[in-house]
Amino acid sequence: ISPDGTRIGMIALGRLWVMRIGERPRPVGDVPISARYLTWSPDGAEVAWSAGPLEHEDMFATRVSTGATRRLTALPGREVFPAWSPDSRWIAFVHAGPGDAPRLRLIDAAAVGIADTSGTRSLGEAEAEWTGTAAFAPVWSPDGASLLAPSPNYDPTRHARATLVGLDGTRRETSLAASPIFAQWTSGALVYVRHARLWTVRFDSAGVHGAAEPLSADPALFPSVSSASDILYMSEGGLRLRASTGKERRIGWPLSFTPPVPGPLLIRNARIVDGSGDRPTAPKD
């Protein structure tokens, strides 16, 4: 969902789509079939995403009004999980160079074609295996002062701890609600999925305050949150939009695709071996 809560960005069928809620999706431009990890800029003017062969992904940013795309990074290895800072100045991401441990890095949000790590700011090694899952991607604090990252050997089935990484690289452990995945940090709260349900808990840089509460009994995955705390998530029957008031709207599957039906193909002078042991047939069309 876009920061202002009025649009939904999607990657599907080799294209980037933007849909104003209540209207039909609009194709913005073509993207590689490997494109994923879509994220909006705070002003809603651009979206960033990663694409490329596995373990060699780079990051890109597309202007949604024109479809113009710029390459953000071309580092050795993979760059995934882009996350725009609330002040629009930085894009945080996870970089795993060939044979290296994943590292949390920053680039200027206006960057173009960063091909050397000297053009990035390293915030140190990422203590969890971030190269294969988006269950815990880096999340900015609402004030943009730090990033929420997994703690060492993070296991979402057991752990209730995370690390706050400051822009100066300082690190501090903080408490989490038990077993959160797909966490989103809104003003004063953490929204996340646990056991395929949507939950929230009061949360700030000091950690969790109070008990977590389920937002719905329905199944949920892949939540994203607007600046007004509207929550877009996947559930039974497709996308759902939960307003900050608690009212839910079913959006369903806004994109459809019909596989093309190939035309007839005529093969001339073919001999057929039917597998029964008989001789091949005479040539025929």
Side-chain angles (χ1 to χ4, degrees):
I1 191 169
S2 62
D4 64 5
T6 64
R7 294 168 294 168
I8 298 171
M10 297 170 280
I11 291 176
L13 307 174
R15 283 186 168 181
L16 170 65
W17 307 77
V18 170
M19 183 183 82
R20 190 166 291 278
I21 295 173
E23 300 179 4
R24 292 178 61 85
R26 174 179 63 88
V28 173
D30 294 337
V31 295
I33 200 69
S34 60
R36 52 184 175 163
Y37 307 132
L38 186 71
T39 183
W40 285 87
S41 64
D43 61 5
E46 289 185 288
V47 290
W49 41 277
S50 295
L54 187 63
E55 308 296 343
H56 298 280
E57 297 96 326
D58 295 316
M59 295 192 305
F60 304 82
T62 299
R63 185 158 292 274
V64 297
S65 60
T66 65
T69 296
R70 60 189 167 101
R71 188 188 198 109
L72 296 171
T73 61
L75 297 171
R78 73 185 322 217
E79 300 92 71
V80 290
F81 311 136
W84 237 290
S85 65
D87 62 3
S88 300
R89 183 179 178 187
W90 305 103
I91 294 177
F93 64 101
V94 175
H95 172 233
D100 294 337
R103 300 185 75 86
L104 185 60
R105 296 186 183 274
L106 299 179
I107 57 169
D108 190 296
V112 176
I114 301 295
D116 189 277
T117 55
S118 62
T120 74
R121 285 179 58 185
S122 173
L123 298 182
E125 286 194 6
E127 294 103 331
E129 182 55 56
W130 263 339
T131 57
T133 177
F136 201 142
V139 179
W140 284 94
S141 63
D143 62 5
S146 59
L147 286 143
L148 188 66
S151 288
N153 302 312
Y154 177 80
D155 179 351
T157 65
R158 297 184 295 110
H159 289 186
R161 305 290 297 173
T163 301
L164 282 173
V165 184
L167 296 189
D168 58 358
T170 57
R171 291 166 177 258
R172 180 168 58 83
E173 289 285 297
T174 187
S175 62
L176 286 181
S179 308
I181 60 173
F182 305 111
Q184 304 285 302
W185 192 349
T186 68
S187 179
L190 202 67
V191 173
Y192 60 95
V193 169
R194 182 188 181 202
H195 302 321
R197 294 174 66 190
L198 200 60
W199 293 74
T200 187
V201 67
R202 288 190 296 118
F203 182 80
D204 57 26
S205 296
V208 168
H209 303 277
E213 299 178 358
L215 293 176
S216 172
D218 291 338
L221 277 179
F222 311 119
S224 60
V225 182
S226 74
S227 57
S229 298
D230 303 309
I231 306 170
L232 179 74
Y233 67 99
M234 194 82 76
S235 189
E236 181 184 9
L239 295 172
R240 296 192 192 181
L241 182 62
R242 179 185 174 87
S244 56
T245 60
K247 183 178 179 179
E248 287 209 353
R249 175 176 180 175
R250 293 180 180 235
I251 297 173
W253 303 109
L255 293 173
S256 62
F257 175 71
T258 301
V261 178
L265 176 66
L266 176 62
I267 302 176
R268 294 191 178 276
N269 296 318
R271 293 178 181 270
I272 307 301
V273 179
D274 65 10
S276 67
D278 291 342
R279 296 171 62 86
T281 65
K284 58 184 179 181
D285 294 346

